[in-house]
Amino acid sequence: MIFVAILAGGIGSRMGDTDTPKQFLNLGDKPILIHTIEKFVINDEMDKIIVLTPQNFINHTKQLIKDYISDNDKIVVIEGGETRNDTLKNSIDYINENYNIDDDSLIITHDSVRPFVTHRIIQDNIKAAKQCGACDTVIPATDTIVESRDGNVITDIPIRDYFYQGQTPQTFKINKLNSLINDLTEDEKEILTDAAKIFVLKGEKVSLVKGDVTNIKITYPYDLKLANTILRSK
């Protein structure tokens, strides 16, 4: 089975002067979150799409889905967690409580504010995770990477050819991911930035999937302006 966890639990504090979490802001004529969900709804391989939002936005999210997406039987909205890792764990717990999965069942995790994910990226994620057990969507780093340990002086300028910028989706075999999450120490939980790092921390392989420069994450007001430009060009 293949599940999707759309992580919409954030409050979007970096978006500026707005009380609305960024995933609910409009991109073109509909919310960013709806654009993102639609990319997975049209894929017949998805068994369930789990949207995880702040508790006080659950009913709002359900209404948006009802308003914008006619074929919504595969979508469920549940509460996210305090952290990204907690939100991911909530999705895994929901799957385990409601479905009989096996060791080959996959979970595709995706940022709710990456509305331009492509069918090709999704399919490549599925293929890579089936083969390797875990994969991360990335693009090559184009700028020189500068390291500074104190924020004042350069400590290193590593070779750019070895570095990539992480995107989403990230896709994993569910049982393996759940096992690794349960094995995390408190110190490891403190340094988590995404699910792929769970595998890296535990010495597990994570395959690379080629992303796309248009697969942007809408975080700042400028990103929303850029997203509207990309949408018009499509």
Side-chain angles (χ1 to χ4, degrees), residues 1 3 95-96 99-106 173-176:
M1 301 183 75
F3 300 86
I95 293 168
N96 283 324
Y99 296 92
N100 294 317
I101 61 173
D102 58 28
D103 287 343
D104 291 322
S105 295
L106 301 178
K173 291 187 175 180
I174 300 172
N175 286 342
K176 183 66 174 180

Side-chain angles (χ1 to χ4, degrees), residues 176 180 188 196-206:
K176 183 66 174 180
L180 294 178
E188 288 172 335
K197 190 161 186 173
I198 297 170
F199 278 72
V200 174
L201 284 172
K202 296 303 183 181
E204 300 285 342
K205 290 182 179 180
V206 181

Side-chain angles (χ1 to χ4, degrees), residues 142-213:
T142 55
D143 294 325
T144 296
I145 305 298
V146 176
E147 179 188 82
S148 175
R149 296 297 178 95
D150 63 5
N152 294 309
V153 297
I154 293 174
T155 51
D156 191 19
I157 302 179
I159 299 173
R160 186 176 60 193
D161 293 352
Y162 300 155
F163 287 82
Y164 296 81
Q165 296 168 226
Q167 299 185 337
T168 63
Q170 297 177 328
T171 304
F172 313 95
K173 291 187 175 180
I174 300 172
N175 286 342
K176 183 66 174 180
L177 174 61
N178 194 37
S179 173
L180 294 178
I181 288 177
N182 291 334
D183 194 42
L184 288 171
T185 66
E186 291 303 315
D187 288 341
E188 288 172 335
K189 291 177 182 178
E190 288 293 320
I191 61 172
L192 284 180
T193 52
D194 62 24
K197 190 161 186 173
I198 297 170
F199 278 72
V200 174
L201 284 172
K202 296 303 183 181
E204 300 285 342
K205 290 182 179 180
V206 181
S207 179
L208 298 183
V209 169
K210 180 182 177 183
D212 193 289
V213 292

Side-chain angles (χ1 to χ4, degrees), residues 11-178:
I11 60 172
S13 59
R14 290 173 288 184
M15 186 50 76
D17 188 20
T18 176
D19 294 329
T20 304
K22 57 192 175 183
Q23 58 268 31
F24 299 107
L25 297 175
N26 267 19
L27 171 60
D29 60 357
K30 54 191 170 185
I32 296 168
L33 176 60
I34 295 300
H35 285 278
T36 303
I37 295 172
E38 287 176 336
K39 298 301 190 301
F40 295 93
V41 169
I42 63 175
N43 191 310
D44 293 335
E45 291 196 62
M46 308 304 157
D47 290 290
K48 201 72 176 180
I49 299 168
I50 307 162
V51 183
L52 298 105
T53 74
Q55 195 278 332
N56 56 326
F57 278 91
I58 288 177
N59 288 336
H60 178 60
T61 302
K62 289 179 178 179
Q63 187 61 52
L64 286 177
I65 292 169
K66 183 178 178 180
D67 290 344
Y68 286 97
I69 302 176
S70 57
D71 182 16
N72 56 34
D73 292 342
K74 293 194 296 185
I75 307 171
V76 63
V77 182
I78 66 173
E79 184 177 357
E82 290 187 9
T83 68
R84 186 183 183 90
N85 190 51
D86 292 336
T87 298
L88 177 60
K89 191 67 169 65
N90 284 2
S91 67
I92 295 173
D93 289 344
Y94 173 85
I95 293 168
N96 283 324
E97 290 166 6
N98 291 278
Y99 296 92
N100 294 317
I101 61 173
D102 58 28
D103 287 343
D104 291 322
S105 295
L106 301 178
I107 183 168
I108 302 171
T109 67
H110 189 61
D111 296 325
S112 64
V113 287
R114 288 191 190 270
F116 300 119
V117 62
T118 65
H119 178 73
R120 190 274 302 166
I121 291 175
I122 294 170
Q123 293 305 119
D124 285 356
N125 264 256
I126 293 171
K127 180 179 179 181
K130 284 181 177 179
Q131 293 175 345
C132 183
C135 69
D136 192 3
T137 304
V138 302
I139 57 173
T142 55
D143 294 325
T144 296
I145 305 298
V146 176
E147 179 188 82
S148 175
R149 296 297 178 95
D150 63 5
N152 294 309
V153 297
I154 293 174
T155 51
D156 191 19
I157 302 179
I159 299 173
R160 186 176 60 193
D161 293 352
Y162 300 155
F163 287 82
Y164 296 81
Q165 296 168 226
Q167 299 185 337
T168 63
Q170 297 177 328
T171 304
F172 313 95
K173 291 187 175 180
I174 300 172
N175 286 342
K176 183 66 174 180
L177 174 61
N178 194 37

